[in-house]
PDB file of all heavy atoms in Angstrom:
ATOM      1  N   LEU A  73     -18.314  38.432  -7.218  1.00 93.00           N
ATOM      2  CA  LEU A  73     -17.559  39.541  -6.638  1.00 93.00           C
ATOM      3  C   LEU A  73     -16.160  39.070  -6.213  1.00 93.00           C
ATOM      4  O   LEU A  73     -15.167  39.776  -6.412  1.00 93.00           O
ATOM      5  CB  LEU A  73     -18.333  40.078  -5.426  1.00 93.00           C
ATOM      6  CG  LEU A  73     -17.913  41.432  -4.884  1.00 93.00           C
ATOM      7  CD1 LEU A  73     -18.001  42.513  -5.955  1.00 93.00           C
ATOM      8  CD2 LEU A  73     -18.775  41.821  -3.688  1.00 93.00           C
ATOM      9  N   ASP A  76     -14.085  38.613  -9.286  1.00 94.00           N
ATOM     10  CA  ASP A  76     -13.745  39.928  -9.833  1.00 94.00           C
ATOM     11  C   ASP A  76     -12.603  40.575  -9.047  1.00 94.00           C
ATOM     12  O   ASP A  76     -11.667  41.128  -9.624  1.00 94.00           O
ATOM     13  CB  ASP A  76     -14.966  40.864  -9.777  1.00 94.00           C
ATOM     14  CG  ASP A  76     -16.113  40.400 -10.664  1.00 94.00           C
ATOM     15  OD1 ASP A  76     -15.897  39.529 -11.512  1.00 94.00           O
ATOM     16  OD2 ASP A  76     -17.235  40.921 -10.475  1.00 94.00           O
ATOM     17  N   PHE A 105     -24.404  42.800 -11.122  1.00 86.00           N
ATOM     18  CA  PHE A 105     -25.680  43.521 -11.183  1.00 86.00           C
ATOM     19  C   PHE A 105     -26.396  43.396 -12.518  1.00 86.00           C
ATOM     20  O   PHE A 105     -27.308  44.162 -12.820  1.00 86.00           O
ATOM     21  CB  PHE A 105     -25.449  45.001 -10.850  1.00 86.00           C
ATOM     22  CG  PHE A 105     -24.856  45.207  -9.485  1.00 86.00           C
ATOM     23  CD1 PHE A 105     -23.623  45.821  -9.333  1.00 86.00           C
ATOM     24  CD2 PHE A 105     -25.516  44.770  -8.353  1.00 86.00           C
ATOM     25  CE1 PHE A 105     -23.064  45.994  -8.072  1.00 86.00           C
ATOM     26  CE2 PHE A 105     -24.968  44.941  -7.090  1.00 86.00           C
ATOM     27  CZ  PHE A 105     -23.735  45.551  -6.952  1.00 86.00           C
ATOM     28  N   TYR A 158     -27.039  50.498  -7.807  1.00 91.00           N
ATOM     29  CA  TYR A 158     -27.843  49.815  -8.836  1.00 91.00           C
ATOM     30  C   TYR A 158     -29.225  49.523  -8.271  1.00 91.00           C
ATOM     31  O   TYR A 158     -29.394  49.401  -7.040  1.00 91.00           O
ATOM     32  CB  TYR A 158     -27.188  48.491  -9.236  1.00 91.00           C
ATOM     33  CG  TYR A 158     -25.941  48.658 -10.075  1.00 91.00           C
ATOM     34  CD1 TYR A 158     -24.713  48.851  -9.480  1.00 91.00           C
ATOM     35  CD2 TYR A 158     -26.008  48.620 -11.458  1.00 91.00           C
ATOM     36  CE1 TYR A 158     -23.565  49.000 -10.247  1.00 91.00           C
ATOM     37  CE2 TYR A 158     -24.873  48.770 -12.236  1.00 91.00           C
ATOM     38  CZ  TYR A 158     -23.653  48.963 -11.621  1.00 91.00           C
ATOM     39  OH  TYR A 158     -22.531  49.117 -12.372  1.00 91.00           O
ATOM     40  N   TYR A 192     -18.243  54.152  -7.771  1.00 93.00           N
ATOM     41  CA  TYR A 192     -18.863  53.633  -6.544  1.00 93.00           C
ATOM     42  C   TYR A 192     -17.992  52.549  -5.933  1.00 93.00           C
ATOM     43  O   TYR A 192     -17.088  52.019  -6.574  1.00 93.00           O
ATOM     44  CB  TYR A 192     -20.264  53.082  -6.830  1.00 93.00           C
ATOM     45  CG  TYR A 192     -20.282  51.928  -7.811  1.00 93.00           C
ATOM     46  CD1 TYR A 192     -20.083  50.617  -7.384  1.00 93.00           C
ATOM     47  CD2 TYR A 192     -20.486  52.159  -9.161  1.00 93.00           C
ATOM     48  CE1 TYR A 192     -20.088  49.563  -8.285  1.00 93.00           C
ATOM     49  CE2 TYR A 192     -20.495  51.109 -10.076  1.00 93.00           C
ATOM     50  CZ  TYR A 192     -20.293  49.818  -9.627  1.00 93.00           C
ATOM     51  OH  TYR A 192     -20.287  48.775 -10.515  1.00 93.00           O
ATOM     52  N   ARG A 213     -14.761  51.364  -7.811  1.00 96.00           N
ATOM     53  CA  ARG A 213     -14.743  51.188  -9.253  1.00 96.00           C
ATOM     54  C   ARG A 213     -14.860  52.571  -9.886  1.00 96.00           C
ATOM     55  O   ARG A 213     -15.641  53.405  -9.426  1.00 96.00           O
ATOM     56  CB  ARG A 213     -15.962  50.381  -9.722  1.00 96.00           C
ATOM     57  CG  ARG A 213     -16.001  48.939  -9.273  1.00 96.00           C
ATOM     58  CD  ARG A 213     -16.516  48.080 -10.394  1.00 96.00           C
ATOM     59  NE  ARG A 213     -15.542  48.102 -11.477  1.00 96.00           N
ATOM     60  CZ  ARG A 213     -15.800  47.834 -12.757  1.00 96.00           C
ATOM     61  NH1 ARG A 213     -17.020  47.528 -13.114  1.00 96.00           N
ATOM     62  NH2 ARG A 213     -14.847  47.887 -13.678  1.00 96.00           N
ATOM     63  N   HIS A 216     -18.634  54.093 -14.680  1.00 96.00           N
ATOM     64  CA  HIS A 216     -18.752  53.299 -15.911  1.00 96.00           C
ATOM     65  C   HIS A 216     -20.204  52.962 -16.209  1.00 96.00           C
ATOM     66  O   HIS A 216     -21.069  53.054 -15.334  1.00 96.00           O
ATOM     67  CB  HIS A 216     -17.949  51.996 -15.784  1.00 96.00           C
ATOM     68  CG  HIS A 216     -18.454  51.132 -14.668  1.00 96.00           C
ATOM     69  ND1 HIS A 216     -18.039  51.288 -13.378  1.00 96.00           N
ATOM     70  CD2 HIS A 216     -19.361  50.128 -14.648  1.00 96.00           C
ATOM     71  CE1 HIS A 216     -18.668  50.417 -12.606  1.00 96.00           C
ATOM     72  NE2 HIS A 216     -19.483  49.698 -13.357  1.00 96.00           N
ATOM     73  N   HIS A 218     -22.425  49.754 -18.172  1.00 97.00           N
ATOM     74  CA  HIS A 218     -22.282  48.383 -18.699  1.00 97.00           C
ATOM     75  C   HIS A 218     -23.072  48.177 -19.989  1.00 97.00           C
ATOM     76  O   HIS A 218     -24.167  48.735 -20.134  1.00 97.00           O
ATOM     77  CB  HIS A 218     -22.847  47.381 -17.689  1.00 97.00           C
ATOM     78  CG  HIS A 218     -22.098  47.332 -16.408  1.00 97.00           C
ATOM     79  ND1 HIS A 218     -21.044  46.501 -16.193  1.00 97.00           N
ATOM     80  CD2 HIS A 218     -22.267  48.011 -15.248  1.00 97.00           C
ATOM     81  CE1 HIS A 218     -20.585  46.651 -14.961  1.00 97.00           C
ATOM     82  NE2 HIS A 218     -21.318  47.569 -14.367  1.00 97.00           N
TER      83      HIS A 218
HETATM   84  C1  BEZ B   1     -19.996  46.296 -11.583  1.00 64.50           C
HETATM   85  O1  BEZ B   1     -19.404  47.027 -12.326  1.00 64.50           O
HETATM   86  O2  BEZ B   1     -21.210  46.291 -11.601  1.00 64.50           O
HETATM   87  C2  BEZ B   1     -19.225  45.477 -10.637  1.00 64.50           C
HETATM   88  C3  BEZ B   1     -18.269  44.628 -11.126  1.00 64.50           C
HETATM   89  C4  BEZ B   1     -17.557  43.866 -10.247  1.00 64.50           C
HETATM   90  C5  BEZ B   1     -17.792  43.965  -8.891  1.00 64.50           C
HETATM   91  C6  BEZ B   1     -18.729  44.841  -8.408  1.00 64.50           C
HETATM   92  C7  BEZ B   1     -19.458  45.611  -9.293  1.00 64.50           C
END
Side-chain angles (χ1 to χ4, degrees):
L73 195 58
D76 295 346
F105 301 119
Y158 287 86
Y192 61 86
R213 293 219 66 202
H216 61 274
H218 295 270

